[in-house]
Amino acid sequence: MSETTIFEKIIAREIPANIIYEDDLCICFKDIAPTAPIHLLLVPKKRIVRIGEASPDDQVTLGHLMLMAQEIARREGFHENGFRIVINNGPDGGEAVPHLHLHLLAGKKLSWPHC
């Protein structure tokens, strides 16, 4: 696998992040360059390069991420008004870090395709 990603460094506590949730499978922290009033990143601790490269062995982790997105939205108080989950895949899909992650966007009425 390629070099260590920024997310792996955050998970290892090699660089700081504003962490709002963590369990054995994932970590959630505030994006340092938000595109919405609430912009969180939900990252699996196991490195899956991108959703397009996930395998059947990743099913538990992928399901957990989706359920934790819902739980984090509740905990942080934006579940009821709505939120968006975005997963970028590959360079043309907007992927900036080759480590699967979910963007949780909320805090305003979101338009499409932009926040």
Side-chain angles (χ1 to χ4, degrees), residues 30-41 103-106 108 115:
K30 293 184 178 182
D31 193 300
I32 60 169
T35 60
I38 298 169
H39 188 163
L40 307 175
L41 300 177
H103 295 260
L104 303 178
L105 306 166
K108 70 175 188 175
C115 296

Side-chain angles (χ1 to χ4, degrees), residues 5-12 17 19-31 40-49 61-62 64-66 68-69 72 86-87 97-104:
T5 69
I6 189 170
F7 297 154
E8 290 170 299
K9 291 176 182 179
I10 289 169
I11 292 164
I19 298 168
I20 63 157
Y21 177 81
E22 182 174 15
D23 63 26
D24 291 343
L25 296 178
C26 66
I27 189 167
C28 184
F29 49 90
K30 293 184 178 182
D31 193 300
L40 307 175
L41 300 177
L42 182 56
V43 181
K45 289 184 174 180
K46 174 189 176 190
R47 184 172 179 191
I48 301 167
V49 174
T61 300
L62 297 174
H64 183 72
L65 290 173
M66 297 304 287
M68 287 316 305
I72 290 165
V86 175
I87 302 173
V97 179
H99 186 139
L100 173 72
H101 55 286
L102 282 64
H103 295 260
L104 303 178

Side-chain angles (χ1 to χ4, degrees), residues 40-88:
L40 307 175
L41 300 177
L42 182 56
V43 181
K45 289 184 174 180
K46 174 189 176 190
R47 184 172 179 191
I48 301 167
V49 174
R50 61 188 51 89
I51 193 67
E53 294 183 23
S55 74
D57 292 341
D58 298 319
Q59 183 174 353
V60 169
T61 300
L62 297 174
H64 183 72
L65 290 173
M66 297 304 287
L67 292 174
M68 287 316 305
Q70 171 188 209
E71 178 62 23
I72 290 165
R74 277 196 182 91
R75 289 181 185 196
E76 295 297 311
F78 58 87
H79 183 271
E80 192 167 316
N81 284 340
F83 59 99
R84 180 174 293 161
I85 298 172
V86 175
I87 302 173
N88 299 324

